[in-house]
Amino acid sequence: MTTGYLSIAPLSAVLDTLTLLTIPQHIAIVVTAILVYAGIRWRRASARPKRILTELVAALGFLVALVLVYAAVAVLPRPMAGLVVSDETVLAIDFHAHTKYSHDGRWDWTEDDVRDWHRSAGYDAVYITDHATFEGAERGIATNPPVAGEGEIVLQGLEAFYKGEHVNILSAGRHYRGLTNATLKDIDPEALGLASLLPQSTPLLIETVPGNLDKVPASTDKMPVGVQAIEIVDGSPRGLTQGRRDHNRIIKIADSLNLALVTGSDNHGWGRAAPGWTLMRIGGWRGMPTDSLSSRIEHALREGRRAATRTAERRVAEASNPAEVVFAAPLVLWRMFTTLSPDERVMWLIWTWGAVLVMRAYRTYRNRPPAAA
């Protein structure tokens, strides 16, 4: 946790928490805020004559403030909370990220922005898996440091459809060419089958969420061509919603089908909070060039499957049942405050008392007696 992150601990905690909420939690919190605002305004209005214009201006100000908070979540540049790995044989990986070259990427989100975002979050490597294009990944690889361990390493992949499911194909367009149709949107089953004739070089496919967990096209002994890993964390709002709701089910699927569990930020250029990290122990990864590193990562996933990874997840209040959704606002606040580190608690106290002193000074200034003529 950087000094910059700690110095604005209240802002960091609130914006990080909002970034990591599920869609139902966002809806519940916004509705709760509106109800609390309406209650406060009604109570104030009951003690004095109602003025429609005043209430309209106040309501507009409230809506603007709400929009500004969510805008800050999405685009405010700020320090990030990053993972620190003390074991030099372990690397932290993001298997799912995007650039502006995806149709749904932020318009100005370049491969350099991806590298900076992931460096700040404590990743050692990131797969850029854009939709229907390799440009972002290729540009990122072109500016990689000479070897891993000397800076953030960008690796290449592609997000496409396979048997109706969204999957990420690692090293597509680099180690493996021609796996998809001409639009790069759908995997060609015949091409995938040919590329999978040698088990030790089978393309590595990852099932992403949200997805249909009843139709995971897994690679098994009976069907050797298919996905070998599945996301337990996906940082998009829809991905977080399913990942949290079906967390235990995803683990059971991974156990039963022998799939590696991985995390993906699914970052498209919005927000400054990493939802999770995939940890892999690969001896000697530091000092490897780009292609060697990707080959070792994919070999470890292919051979180790369920045992190949460990995941670290950032969690907020659960929303697995209707009651937890309805009371999302207090539950989210409670979880946020109870998971603060000691240093963050100290900074919260400093900022709280600072705000109190400023307000007192302002009131004293307003209530001072008029100067004598």
Side-chain angles (χ1 to χ4, degrees):
M1 197 174 294
T2 65
T3 302
Y5 186 91
L6 278 174
S7 67
I8 54 171
L11 181 66
S12 297
V14 170
L15 296 186
D16 279 12
T17 298
L18 288 174
T19 303
L20 300 173
L21 294 181
T22 65
I23 292 175
Q25 286 174 318
H26 279 296
I27 294 172
I29 285 176
V30 169
V31 170
T32 300
I34 292 172
L35 291 175
V36 169
Y37 166 80
I40 292 173
R41 297 304 301 182
W42 180 263
R43 182 174 180 180
R44 287 186 176 183
S46 63
R48 58 192 179 197
K50 298 180 178 64
R51 297 178 180 177
I52 295 178
L53 182 60
T54 300
E55 294 304 320
L56 287 175
V57 171
L60 180 61
F62 168 77
L63 292 176
V64 168
L66 195 60
V67 170
L68 288 177
V69 168
Y70 273 90
V73 169
V75 301
L76 184 68
R78 57 189 179 87
M80 294 180 69
L83 183 73
V84 177
V85 179
S86 57
D87 188 335
E88 290 199 352
T89 67
V90 174
L91 71 160
I93 312 167
D94 181 5
F95 284 95
H96 191 171
H98 295 276
T99 67
K100 67 177 183 178
Y101 302 103
S102 277
H103 68 275
D104 55 355
R106 178 172 160 177
W107 70 92
D108 60 346
W109 196 246
T110 69
E111 65 282 354
D112 291 331
D113 295 315
V114 170
R115 179 176 278 110
D116 175 70
W117 192 95
H118 285 81
R119 183 189 301 114
S120 298
Y123 294 98
D124 300 300
V126 50
Y127 279 88
I128 291 180
T129 56
D130 282 331
H131 302 271
T133 178
F134 299 120
E135 187 168 357
E138 289 173 344
R139 286 174 175 268
I141 289 174
T143 55
N144 271 344
V147 294
E150 295 183 358
E152 188 67 30
I153 292 287
V154 169
L155 304 174
Q156 185 165 314
L158 182 75
E159 186 168 357
F161 281 101
Y162 178 60
K163 296 189 175 181
E165 291 294 296
H166 266 293
V167 300
N168 284 332
I169 318 166
L170 305 188
S171 291
R174 191 164 181 88
H175 295 165
Y176 306 101
R177 300 180 186 275
L179 292 180
T180 65
N181 60 9
T183 65
L184 301 182
K185 293 181 179 180
D186 295 281
I187 292 177
D188 182 337
E190 185 176 345
L192 181 61
L194 290 173
S196 304
L197 289 176
L198 297 176
Q200 65 271 23
S201 61
T202 301
L204 204 298
L205 273 58
I206 298 174
E207 171 87 0
T208 68
V209 294
N212 187 341
L213 299 182
D214 293 323
K215 297 183 178 180
V216 176
S219 167
T220 64
D221 293 337
K222 294 181 179 180
M223 187 181 71
V225 179
V227 302
Q228 297 107 314
I230 185 171
E231 286 184 338
I232 188 68
V233 172
D234 181 285
S236 70
R238 290 174 61 239
L240 288 170
T241 299
Q242 181 175 21
R244 302 263 172 77
R245 184 189 66 225
D246 297 332
H247 191 269
N248 292 336
R249 186 182 175 194
I250 293 172
I251 293 176
K252 288 181 179 179
I253 289 172
D255 289 340
S256 62
L257 298 177
N258 191 24
L259 301 179
L261 285 175
V262 302
T263 64
S265 67
D266 200 2
N267 188 271
H268 287 69
W270 310 105
R272 296 282 293 175
W277 298 260
T278 305
L279 304 177
M280 298 185 69
R281 186 183 299 279
I282 298 179
W285 71 268
R286 295 177 184 275
M288 288 184 182
T290 297
D291 288 340
S292 296
L293 179 62
S294 62
S295 293
R296 285 290 299 276
I297 290 171
E298 291 153 36
H299 174 77
L301 289 172
R302 193 181 296 115
E303 296 298 314
R305 299 287 283 265
R306 184 66 178 87
T309 64
R310 295 291 184 272
T311 58
E313 306 173 40
R314 293 190 67 182
R315 306 299 297 273
V316 295
E318 297 297 329
S320 56
N321 60 62
E324 289 175 338
V325 173
V326 170
F327 296 102
L331 289 175
V332 166
L333 283 174
W334 174 257
R335 183 63 180 265
M336 182 184 75
F337 284 122
T338 55
T339 55
L340 294 175
S341 69
D343 290 340
E344 287 177 299
R345 294 175 192 274
V346 170
M347 291 308 301
W348 269 87
L349 289 173
I350 291 173
W351 276 94
T352 300
W353 279 106
V356 169
L357 292 175
V358 169
M359 291 176 63
R360 283 196 168 188
Y362 177 68
R363 287 180 180 176
T364 300
Y365 173 79
R366 284 192 61 184
N367 296 330
R368 73 190 190 285

